[in-house]
Amino acid sequence: MSRGSGDEDAYDHRYPDDDGLRITTLEALFEFHASSHGPDDGATTGPCIDIERPHRLAFFTLILVADGVGVHEIDFEPHEYRPGSLLITSMTQVQRFVINDDTRGHLIQFTEPFLLRNLGRLDANLIDVLYNYELRSPIADATADNHLAGAINELADELAGPDRADREEMLHLLLKRVILAAGRLVDRIGAAPRADTNLGWSALFFEFRQLVEEGYWRSRSAQSYALRLGVSYKHLNGVCKATVGRSAKTYIDDAVILEAKRRLAIDDTPVSRLASDLGFDEPGNFTKFFTKRVGSTPTQFRETLVSGVPDQALRGVTTGSIRHKRHYAAFAKAGPRPISGTRVHARVR
């Protein structure tokens, strides 16, 4: 596991590092952000993205807040946090920060290749459950839980320590402990699945979800997915309503809208090209589809993000000294530095 301290070792919102696992403190992230910038005119010491602009993750994250209150946006939904909050973000999701200098905590990132290299099938199932953002809230309250904080501290200690022959195996075991503690937490305190379903229905829904993820651009017909699954449309609809509280058709349309929002947020793909990528024959049909469900055209939605200023609702729930209209420099280009000193290696309290 590399443990350098230059820009080349900073966190990348696309890749934590070559080894696939990294942990840093939120205060180190924000400090790096501040030190990598020039005056308030927006000058930076290197390539940057705006931290208040959405960016898409290619890894899994866990954020445990120790101090401070504020808001973190995941897939365009603001989530208020406070001391003890646990924020869970999956790969492919889009997030953005509102910088609050008073916030303290830990940020863990790990990639799918790291999991495939180190975890067994049972461990992969744990990830499927914990990071199923359609069934679980992305935020939970860990105020009364000391197991998760202790597990994160042990993982941080191992990452900060010297390289050993058994280091990756130890990191695997410690990360598994973190994931188990987080999973028990969300199950125990009510961040569990939003609907109670039997195992057969859950399995069918997960298969349906996978088909939608793989083929939403080919078809938005619920009947066609039911046919591929070998069940009736009525049964599929009932499973979806029981599992996520939406009809199968609404679930499919919501998946298309979410992907459209993500693409509009993270790149400059012309709307006409995006419409084609999402399976629409004509850009005008896509615009009507998007506007009906979002309340603004795709272009208008993108423009609200380009402004770089979060919604007033986000400002209203955030206290403390908040930096805004600034940028990530190498931190978002390459990411948070791994824990390597006492300043970064703060304990979770």
Side-chain angles (χ1 to χ4, degrees), residues 52-55 71-81 87 89 93-98 265 301 305 310-311 314:
E52 291 188 333
R53 290 284 306 277
H55 50 280
V71 67
H72 189 66
E73 187 177 291
I74 302 172
D75 275 339
F76 315 101
E77 294 291 334
H79 299 278
E80 298 179 42
Y81 63 77
L87 292 154
T89 311
Q93 288 191 283
V94 168
Q95 69 172 1
R96 64 173 172 176
F97 292 90
V98 176
F301 178 81
L305 301 175
D311 296 336
L314 303 189

Side-chain angles (χ1 to χ4, degrees), residues 8 14 29 48 88 96 114 141 150 195 198 242 245 248 271 307 320 336 348:
E8 71 277 10
R14 297 165 297 179
L29 186 157
C48 65
I88 305 166
R96 64 173 172 176
F114 179 85
D141 183 4
N198 61 50
V271 172
S307 67
V348 175

Side-chain angles (χ1 to χ4, degrees), residues 50-213:
D50 191 331
I51 192 171
E52 291 188 333
R53 290 284 306 277
H55 50 280
R56 192 169 202 169
L57 300 178
F59 49 83
F60 302 95
T61 74
L62 286 172
I63 297 175
L64 182 62
V65 179
D67 290 301
V69 297
V71 67
H72 189 66
E73 187 177 291
I74 302 172
D75 275 339
F76 315 101
E77 294 291 334
H79 299 278
E80 298 179 42
Y81 63 77
R82 56 188 177 86
S85 291
L86 174 67
L87 292 154
I88 305 166
T89 311
S90 179
M91 56 183 289
T92 76
Q93 288 191 283
V94 168
Q95 69 172 1
R96 64 173 172 176
F97 292 90
V98 176
I99 297 297
N100 185 346
D101 293 334
D102 297 330
T103 299
R104 302 288 184 269
H106 274 92
L107 169 65
I108 302 173
Q109 310 99 21
F110 52 97
T111 64
E112 188 173 39
F114 179 85
L115 296 177
L116 294 175
R117 189 170 68 246
N118 290 282
L119 303 187
R121 182 61 213 163
L122 177 60
D123 301 326
N125 288 339
L126 295 175
I127 296 297
D128 288 342
V129 172
L130 181 62
Y131 284 91
N132 191 331
Y133 56 83
E134 289 162 334
L135 298 184
R136 297 183 181 276
S137 168
I139 187 168
D141 183 4
T143 304
D145 188 282
N146 294 322
H147 296 289
L148 180 59
I152 290 175
N153 279 325
E154 286 197 38
L155 181 61
D157 286 338
E158 183 66 26
L159 277 170
D163 289 333
R164 294 186 176 91
D166 62 352
R167 191 176 191 219
E168 183 153 320
E169 179 64 19
M170 181 62 73
L171 291 173
H172 156 227
L173 294 174
L174 292 173
L175 177 60
K176 181 175 181 178
R177 183 186 170 198
V178 169
I179 293 169
L180 282 169
R184 285 184 175 181
L185 173 71
V186 297
D187 280 338
R188 185 171 66 252
I189 64 176
R194 295 168 182 164
D196 293 327
T197 58
N198 61 50
L199 293 178
W201 281 29
S202 294
L204 179 62
F205 172 76
F206 289 140
E207 190 175 355
F208 169 62
R209 183 187 66 174
Q210 183 174 355
L211 288 178
V212 172
E213 289 176 351

